[in-house]
């Protein structure tokens, strides 16, 4: 079985060769815990869960180590804490915010059917340690000692000019980056692209004893966190580093610069993998556009498509697009994923799973996680399962391997659907809006409304009125 993965560092698909097949090591950047995780944040969680499962299948369950961090020290967290708990001391308020958000994150992603990672380090546990594991302060002091970082006005900065191939991951030269940079060029910086490893804390802000040479307490910059946690848990050099495409620059470029320069290694990770971005109904997700959706809202409320969605439906819908492509998150996609899982449940709910997932699905995933191809293979297996009990058993094993099915029955995937009563006036008004969109030749909007109605269980029938020639739309509720 040969596994190939697209490597952002080399910009091509490469055969995956682990450093140690008995301990394959993967690090993925996790959430900053100050607010509900949104559906875009769910994408790396889901994508790298499938990779984790595949690696465990190929190399053995106990031979894969997966670390995904929790960032619990960040200016956004401080701001949120001060706003939400103004009467508490800041450190106590921060603890409230991070604990609450982390608990919510775990509840949300557990519903998606993802495996817990092997390690889930919190950044604050790796600022200073009493054991001899790598920590942030030690990394920073090593960088200064090796001439890759300097102290200036109680900050420690990474000296980008000290690393000849800085920019290789992002595929940009230092000159290009400097020209395009909108970073504030603080007077104490030697170079415009130099970035913060450590900064002073204002009174009341979280603070730790600073690296050698700085008397006032401070706190770490963002990038150094992941270098320390990955180094401490996976070693100086490991196999796979993942995250969303937005993290390539500056976060991952800076992480690898820090780790390589502190450890004196040629690489930090051998394979760098990035998922594409998620947008909602054709638009960038943003609070101001009003299309910002959290995982929690999808699971528990009627914010998207007028109803809650089963976590496994969300996961399955996400896997319908290859992880490197952008994904458009639509109600129609969820409706389709749900219909498929319902049909699969009919086929597999009463059978015992086979011992192993289907080889063709493993082969599709082994080609740079080709989940759309894996799903079309699943449809084929489901078809033959109608006549063949062995196929049904294989389908079940494969769905369970992917974590898109447990022991659900068809109806279990229809969360909130049975309890729904359709508001006829609302349906008529949506049909009116759809017809108006069609007249205006806005077929995308018309389809979106049709999907929204389908999600409510409303099926439309278009027919031409014989006398007027107009399209007349009738509707019915499908169970
Ligand atoms: P953050 O908490 O913003 O650092 O994001 C946590 C993870 O979610 C990172 O791996 C990001 O790259 C990823 N991410 C954030 N927004 C999106 C999005 N809209 N689509 C896909 N991935 C995203
Ligand atoms: Zn990171």
């Amino acid at each position: 079985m040969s596994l190939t993965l697209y490597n952002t560092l080399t910009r091509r698909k490469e055969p995956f060769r682990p450093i140690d097949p008995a301990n394959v090591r993967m690090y993925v950047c996790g959430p900053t815990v100050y607010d509900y995780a949104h559906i875009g944040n769910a994408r790396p969680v889901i994508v790298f869960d499938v990779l984790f499962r595949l690696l465990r299948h190929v190399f053995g369950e106990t031979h894969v180590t997966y670390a995904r961090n929790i960032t619990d020290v960040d200016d956004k967290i401080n701001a949120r804490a001060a706003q939400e708990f103004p009467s508490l001391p800041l450190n106590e308020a921060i603890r409230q915010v991070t604990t609450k958000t982390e608990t919510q994150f775990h509840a949300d992603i557990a519903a998606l059917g993802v495996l817990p990672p092997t390690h889930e380090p919190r950044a604050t546990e790796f600022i200073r340690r009493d054991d001899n594991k790598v920590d942030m302060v030690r990394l920073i002091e090593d960088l200064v000692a090796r001439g890759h970082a300097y102290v200036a006005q109680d900050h420690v900065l990474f000296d980008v000019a000290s690393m000849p191939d800085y920019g290789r991951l992002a595929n940009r030269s230092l000159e290009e980056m400097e020209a395009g940079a909108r970073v504030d060029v603080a007077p104490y910086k030697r170079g415009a692209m130099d970035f913060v490893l450590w900064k002073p804390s204002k009174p009341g802000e979280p603070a730790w004893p600073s690296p050698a040479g700085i008397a006032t307490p401070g706190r770490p910059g963002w990038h150094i966190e992941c270098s320390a946690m990955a180094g401490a848990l996976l070693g100086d050099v490991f196999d796979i580093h993942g995250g969303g495409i937005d993290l390539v620059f500056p976060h991952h470029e800076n992480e690898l610069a820090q780790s390589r320069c502190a450890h004196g290694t040629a690489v930090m990770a051998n394979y760098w993998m990035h998922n594409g971005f998620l947008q909602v109904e054709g638009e960038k997700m943003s609070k101001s556009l009003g299309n910002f959706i959290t995982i929690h809202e999808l699971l528990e409320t009627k914010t998207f498509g007028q109803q809650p969605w089963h976590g496994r439906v969300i996961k399955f819908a996400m896997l319908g697009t290859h992880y490197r492509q952008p994904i458009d998150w639509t109600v129609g996609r969820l409706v389709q994923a749900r219909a498929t899982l319902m049909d699969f449940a009919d086929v597999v709910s009463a059978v015992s799973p086979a011992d192993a997932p289907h080889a063709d699905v493993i082969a599709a995933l082994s080609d740079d996680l080709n989940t759309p191809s894996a799903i079309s293979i699943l449809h084929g297996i489901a078809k033959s399962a109608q006549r063949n009990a062995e196929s049904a058993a294989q389908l079940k094993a494969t769905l369970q391997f992917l974590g898109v099915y447990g022991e659900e029955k068809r109806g279990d995937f229809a969360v909130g659907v049975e309890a729904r009563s359709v508001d006829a006036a609302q349906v008529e008004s949506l049909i009116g809006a759809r017809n108006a969109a069609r007249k205006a030749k806005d077929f995308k909007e018309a389809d979106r409304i049709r999907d929204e109605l389908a999600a409510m269980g409303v099926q439309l029938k278009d027919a031409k009125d014989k006398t007027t020639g107009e399209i007349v739309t009738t509707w019915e509720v499908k169970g």
Side-chain angles (χ1 to χ4, degrees):
M1 172 64 54
S2 74
L3 169 58
T4 59
L5 298 172
Y6 182 86
N7 189 351
T8 309
L9 196 58
T10 55
R11 276 158 276 278
R12 54 185 162 81
K13 274 201 224 176
E14 293 175 350
F16 176 68
R17 296 203 184 84
I19 298 162
D20 174 7
N23 186 17
V24 180
R25 287 159 290 156
M26 169 163 83
Y27 185 91
V28 175
C29 296
T32 305
V33 283
Y34 66 99
D35 204 348
Y36 286 107
H38 58 65
I39 184 62
N41 299 137
R43 195 171 189 195
V45 171
I46 290 171
V47 163
F48 291 103
D49 174 70
V50 171
L51 180 55
F52 183 37
R53 289 166 184 268
L54 179 65
L55 293 170
R56 283 159 52 105
H57 176 80
V58 174
F59 295 97
E61 276 189 17
T62 57
H63 296 173
V64 185
T65 306
Y66 171 22
R68 185 187 62 218
N69 72 292
I70 298 270
T71 295
D72 61 347
V73 50
D74 184 271
D75 289 348
K76 289 190 285 261
I77 298 175
N78 301 351
R80 178 60 61 101
Q83 177 197 343
E84 217 171 295
F85 302 98
S87 56
L88 290 181
L90 185 59
N91 282 318
E92 174 58 17
I94 287 171
R95 215 166 50 83
Q96 298 266 355
V97 168
T98 56
T99 310
K100 186 178 78 175
T101 313
E102 188 183 323
T103 306
Q104 182 68 50
F105 176 70
H106 285 140
D108 288 347
I109 65 168
L112 301 180
V114 298
L115 299 172
T118 322
H119 302 289
E120 203 173 28
R122 290 179 129 229
T124 49
E125 293 162 2
F126 287 83
I127 296 178
R128 276 184 175 274
R129 297 185 69 89
D130 323 333
D131 55 15
N132 51 16
K133 283 208 177 100
V134 174
D135 66 28
M136 298 180 211
V137 169
R138 233 171 280 163
L139 272 183
I140 293 171
E141 289 174 349
D142 285 352
L143 285 168
V144 174
R146 287 170 172 263
H148 289 292
Y150 57 95
V151 176
Q153 295 189 12
D154 290 348
H155 292 70
V156 186
L157 291 127
F158 185 88
D159 182 3
V160 163
S162 73
M163 186 185 181
D165 60 349
Y166 182 82
R168 201 176 116 208
L169 181 71
N171 201 19
R172 284 186 271 181
S173 71
L174 193 54
E175 292 74 33
E176 278 172 315
M177 283 187 277
E178 278 172 355
R182 279 184 297 168
V183 286
D184 65 309
V185 184
Y188 49 79
K189 280 192 188 178
R190 287 185 196 160
M193 299 307 293
D194 293 357
F195 56 89
V196 167
L197 302 173
W198 189 265
K199 56 190 170 186
S201 297
K202 295 190 192 77
E205 282 181 346
W208 289 263
S210 292
I214 303 176
T216 47
R219 60 190 198 278
W222 172 32
H223 317 302
I224 197 72
E225 294 174 11
C226 290
S227 287
M229 291 182 272
L233 298 167
L234 304 181
D236 294 356
V237 178
F238 53 95
D239 298 297
I240 299 171
H241 194 313
I245 190 85
D246 57 318
L247 298 185
V248 172
F249 189 82
H251 184 53
H252 287 168
E253 190 74 53
N254 291 353
E255 259 188 53
L256 80 80
Q258 295 160 164
S259 294
R260 282 180 47 194
C261 292
H263 303 309
T265 54
V267 290
M268 176 186 189
N270 285 327
Y271 303 83
W272 289 77
M273 295 178 65
H274 296 96
N275 63 269
F277 238 48
L278 175 145
Q279 54 172 20
V280 175
E281 302 282 8
E283 281 177 322
K284 185 173 183 245
M285 182 166 51
S286 85
K287 286 211 164 112
S288 58
L289 284 173
N291 64 356
F292 187 93
I293 9 165
T294 65
I295 306 171
H296 170 74
E297 284 169 333
L298 280 173
L299 291 168
E300 304 286 341
T301 76
K302 298 183 174 182
T303 315
F304 196 65
Q306 317 263 356
Q307 65 192 277
W309 298 93
H310 195 286
R312 294 195 196 271
V313 169
I314 296 173
K315 184 180 193 188
F316 194 64
M318 195 73 86
L319 298 177
T321 296
H322 186 257
Y323 77 95
R324 281 195 282 125
Q325 299 299 320
I327 187 170
D328 192 20
W329 192 254
T330 61
V331 174
R333 174 188 285 277
L334 286 164
V335 171
Q336 202 185 5
R338 182 173 64 197
T340 303
L341 284 184
M342 283 175 157
D343 290 348
F344 286 170
D346 284 344
V347 178
V348 303
S349 60
V351 307
S352 310
D355 292 339
H358 198 286
D360 293 352
V361 169
I362 296 297
L365 297 178
S366 299
D367 177 14
D368 192 32
L369 287 190
N370 193 338
T371 54
S373 161
I375 290 173
S376 72
I377 294 164
L378 289 174
H379 282 284
I381 305 170
K383 214 175 230 168
S384 60
Q386 284 158 359
R387 286 165 278 112
N388 179 332
E390 180 52 26
S391 294
Q394 283 188 330
L395 179 63
K396 185 164 192 171
T398 312
L399 294 171
Q400 291 183 333
F401 160 75
L402 287 167
V404 294
Y405 179 82
E407 288 294 344
E408 290 86 356
K409 302 251 181 328
R410 158 177 283 269
D412 296 334
F413 289 117
V415 202
V417 173
E418 284 99 333
R420 182 194 56 224
S421 65
V422 173
D423 174 348
Q426 189 195 10
V427 171
E428 294 292 345
S429 113
L430 280 167
I431 289 175
R434 172 170 172 263
N435 288 341
R438 289 212 298 195
K439 275 214 178 94
K441 299 224 179 319
D442 185 353
F443 297 111
K444 205 170 152 206
E445 173 65 4
D447 287 350
R448 190 197 64 74
I449 298 173
R450 190 201 50 216
D451 289 345
E452 186 177 333
L453 284 160
M456 294 159 65
V458 173
Q459 206 169 62
L460 302 182
K461 209 184 243 163
D462 293 320
K464 214 176 218 162
D465 184 302
K466 283 199 190 81
T467 44
T468 64
E470 292 265 313
I471 299 283
V472 179
T473 307
T474 53
W475 60 277
E476 59 177 335
V477 179
K478 280 265 168 141

